[in-house]
Amino acid sequence: MTDHDTTPATGAPTSRQGIQGAPGSSPAGSASLPPEAQEIASGYSFSGPALELGALIWDGHCLPDAQVRIPLPMLNRHGLVAGATGTGKTKTLQLVAEQLSARGVPVFLADVKGDLSGISEPGAANDRIRSRAAEVRQRWTPAGSPAEFYALGGMGHGIPLRATVTSFGPLLLSKALELNQTQEQSLGLIFHYADTKGLELTDLKDLRAVVAFLTSDEGKQELKDIGGLSTATAGVILRSLTAFEAQGMADFFGEPEFDTAELLRTAGDGRGVVSVLELPAVQDRPRLFSTFLMWMLADLFHDLPEIGDADKPKLVFFFDEAHLLFDDASKAFLESITRTVRLIRSKGVGVFFVTQTPKDVPSEVLGQLGNRVQHALRAFTPDDQKALKATVKTFPDSPYDLEEILTGLGTGEAVVTVLSESGAPTPVAATRLRAPESLMGPVDPAALDRAAQGSPLYGRYAQAVDRESAYEKLTAAQAARAAEPPRPAERRTEGGDREPSVVEQVVGSGVFKSLARSVGTQIGREITRSLFGTARRRRR
């Protein structure tokens, strides 16, 4: 944050993470900077509010007079935080997140390794922090941020997050189930049928019941006019669902479904709430949590209004382990990601992808990431060398030897380029980053549990609910058919037409259309779906 920042709640001046000199002015002693360093530093001298990243490194020296910043209004232009394991990416997320929170901007953090929960607690001073603060001219003050902790399906410490299968949609679920393109298309057909019949797929047993019905003698006719569902493909989908559940995935789908509007909250003092999704318990389920994160983005996308450029973002979303989202992704999936990322900016949401190298992100998406913080890369193998050269090509021209710089950066150092207030890229700046003011490490699990259970959201989402949905309706229809007395021949109506069976009467008479109790189900017509095939729904 810039010197003489104001808190969102009171507007009172503060000195947290300040620097010498006023924002937009030439830093003290800047005239003594080498000409190349002076030119780089001038690219980061913004007139408006900005977050502080650190101090410029030039010719092996840290120059505290040359501060590296990122303009607050540009945080909705998306970004990339990359670097090898152990280079400081997590601390960079923490540094940026706590400053955004102090500015009144809500933040979402995916905590894959379990070490971001410390953002809720003040940090503890030590010699390393004091040394770093002195090097970059940071007035370090311990401070925590208001935080909420979540856990997918309640697996782990935090408020349980769930989504209904209907809302999740066929494209994301296909990715999570590792289906191929043909199977993905068939799953889309199954969702189409469930949508048009008003069959709400709340959990995985609902989806399994619909698949089983559509491959039964009674159900095969339902899809005949639109291509049908082969028994072999249905078998693959059912086996995938069974394996998915055997891995403990069933708890992630159901009700109450999480309302992503909760991520946009601010605390009573005006600071943005940091929503931390605790993922250590599901680290071995990468496809699930990466697709779940994309569901959250897609849900936000079709709910938020257009706001265009604003003084600050409505939310900044950090998407950790981003390569998992793109691995083996279908063309349709990649196209949906690209469009969502491109369009969500105008709704005030900034997305930062966090991964090891830029090559983990498809070029169509990478081209939309104007803010870049690149930590050190390793070049131990030929593949590493290729990744290094590819990374260098993604940066603007620079007076640095980036191949040398990127392999020589220390922990907590990065090469930075961001978008200026005019939207143009800033000069490439090797940067020694500031130290987060919150606790750099996890908080005690018992404290996480207390925080979650003390949240006003806990009572809303903690207890799973299993209401009547597709499974119960189909089971009732099957029971009605079994109870129907045997008939020696088809019964005909007075006009000579065959009288429909009990199951046909159930399907045709509106039993499947009677799920109006679920907010968002549209009776008698297909659910409107977004770019990702996720279902639109009305908020409370």
Side-chain angles (χ1 to χ4, degrees):
M1 298 171 63
T2 51
D3 193 29
H4 305 304
D5 266 333
T6 58
T7 63
T10 65
T14 75
S15 61
R16 288 186 57 231
Q17 298 207 2
I19 63 167
Q20 300 298 318
S25 64
S26 297
S30 62
S32 63
L33 293 175
E36 298 93 337
Q38 176 61 53
E39 184 176 354
I40 295 171
S42 65
Y44 293 88
S45 184
F46 308 124
S47 59
L51 308 187
E52 297 288 350
L53 296 179
L56 183 69
I57 299 172
W58 182 258
D59 196 23
H61 300 287
C62 180
L63 307 177
D65 290 329
Q67 293 288 313
V68 178
R69 309 177 178 91
I70 179 170
L72 183 62
M74 293 294 111
L75 266 298
N76 73 331
R77 298 296 180 93
H78 308 322
L80 176 74
V81 179
T85 301
T87 56
K89 296 190 300 295
T90 300
K91 300 303 178 284
T92 297
L93 305 190
Q94 197 167 338
L95 173 68
V96 175
E98 64 187 19
Q99 292 187 66
L100 284 167
S101 173
R103 290 284 190 175
V105 178
V107 178
F108 173 87
L109 295 173
D111 188 8
V112 177
K113 297 183 290 293
D115 49 6
L116 278 169
S117 57
I119 197 168
S120 63
E121 300 289 339
N126 56 40
D127 290 342
R128 292 182 62 184
I129 288 176
R130 295 187 190 97
S131 175
R132 176 57 61 95
E135 288 173 342
V136 300
R137 197 172 291 157
Q138 173 187 9
R139 291 198 285 269
W140 188 90
T141 304
S145 301
E148 291 279 11
F149 299 100
Y150 300 97
L152 285 186
M155 183 177 288
H157 305 280
I159 300 164
L161 290 193
R162 304 178 187 87
T164 64
V165 173
T166 286
S167 176
F168 208 71
L171 200 57
L172 289 171
L173 188 58
S174 294
K175 172 75 171 174
L177 293 175
E178 302 184 46
L179 302 182
N180 64 29
Q181 184 175 353
T182 299
Q183 294 153 4
E184 177 184 298
Q185 291 169 348
S186 295
L187 187 62
L189 192 64
I190 294 165
F191 271 76
H192 169 78
Y193 173 78
D195 288 351
T196 55
K197 293 297 182 181
L199 271 173
E200 186 167 292
L201 308 174
T202 300
D203 50 28
L204 294 180
K205 74 176 185 298
D206 290 320
L207 179 58
R208 191 190 303 104
V210 173
V211 175
F213 170 73
L214 291 175
T215 54
S216 68
D217 291 339
E218 293 81 13
K220 286 178 180 177
Q221 296 300 314
E222 293 292 309
L223 295 181
K224 185 176 180 181
D225 294 337
I226 52 175
L229 176 66
S230 75
T231 302
T233 300
V236 172
I237 293 173
L238 287 172
R239 287 193 296 273
S240 297
L241 285 170
T242 300
F244 199 60
E245 290 180 292
Q247 296 170 23
M249 307 299 194
D251 291 341
F252 303 116
F253 295 96
E255 292 181 314
E257 183 173 79
F258 182 66
D259 186 344
T260 53
E262 311 283 14
L263 303 179
L264 305 175
R265 296 162 54 228
T266 55
D269 60 3
R271 289 181 295 167
V273 171
V274 181
S275 298
V276 183
L277 179 58
E278 292 291 315
L279 294 169
V282 293
Q283 284 187 82
D284 58 343
R285 300 164 176 84
R287 287 179 183 269
L288 176 70
F289 74 69
S290 64
T291 49
F292 201 97
L293 295 181
M294 202 66 232
W295 169 78
M296 297 176 80
L297 268 186
D299 197 63
L300 283 164
F301 170 76
H302 64 57
D303 273 4
L304 292 174
E306 297 276 342
I307 64 169
D309 291 326
D311 293 339
K312 62 183 181 182
K314 295 184 71 170
L315 173 71
V316 176
F317 194 103
F318 289 92
F319 204 125
D320 203 0
E321 300 292 339
H323 66 280
L324 299 171
L325 184 69
F326 304 110
D327 288 348
D328 302 320
S330 68
K331 182 179 178 182
F333 191 81
L334 289 176
E335 287 176 348
S336 296
I337 293 173
T338 303
R339 283 181 288 174
T340 301
V341 171
R342 184 178 71 249
L343 297 174
I344 203 170
R345 180 190 70 79
S346 64
K347 300 194 173 191
V349 177
V351 182
F352 276 70
F353 291 97
V354 186
T355 189
Q356 294 206 0
T357 71
K359 73 179 183 66
D360 293 334
V361 181
S363 57
E364 296 85 355
V365 177
L366 188 62
Q368 300 179 50
L369 311 182
N371 301 305
R372 300 276 300 279
V373 180
Q374 176 67 60
H375 288 265
L377 290 174
R378 308 305 181 212
F380 300 140
T381 69
D383 286 343
D384 291 341
Q385 289 283 355
K386 290 180 182 178
L388 174 61
K389 291 181 182 297
T391 297
V392 169
K393 291 179 181 178
T394 65
F395 280 90
D397 290 338
S398 164
Y400 292 102
D401 181 343
L402 286 179
E403 286 193 34
E404 180 180 350
I405 287 286
L406 286 173
T407 54
L409 291 169
T411 302
E413 296 178 344
V415 170
V416 174
T417 180
V418 302
L419 294 180
S420 68
E421 292 165 313
S422 64
T426 59
V428 175
T431 306
R432 186 158 296 163
L433 298 168
R434 293 182 169 222
E437 295 184 337
S438 52
L439 181 65
M440 288 189 280
V443 301
D444 183 74
L448 284 181
D449 289 336
R450 288 194 297 271
Q453 293 167 14
S455 168
L457 302 182
Y458 189 78
R460 188 179 304 166
Y461 296 110
Q463 186 63 47
V465 176
D466 187 12
R467 297 189 297 180
E468 188 180 43
S469 49
Y471 172 80
E472 288 77 15
K473 293 295 181 182
L474 288 167
T475 300
Q478 185 179 20
R481 179 177 178 275
E484 185 181 28
R487 294 173 302 220
E490 287 184 346
R491 292 181 294 187
R492 300 277 174 174
T493 63
E494 291 183 1
D497 296 328
R498 180 179 64 85
E499 185 173 313
S501 69
V502 171
V503 171
E504 290 171 327
Q505 291 177 46
V506 168
V507 173
S509 65
V511 173
F512 289 165
K513 302 174 184 178
S514 65
L515 301 179
R517 68 198 176 283
S518 176
V519 175
T521 299
Q522 302 184 38
I523 301 176
R525 61 189 177 90
E526 185 172 1
I527 293 173
T528 302
R529 293 188 173 272
S530 72
L531 292 175
F532 261 103
T534 53
R536 296 177 182 269
R537 57 196 171 99
R538 295 188 301 272
R539 295 301 187 194
R540 289 186 294 274

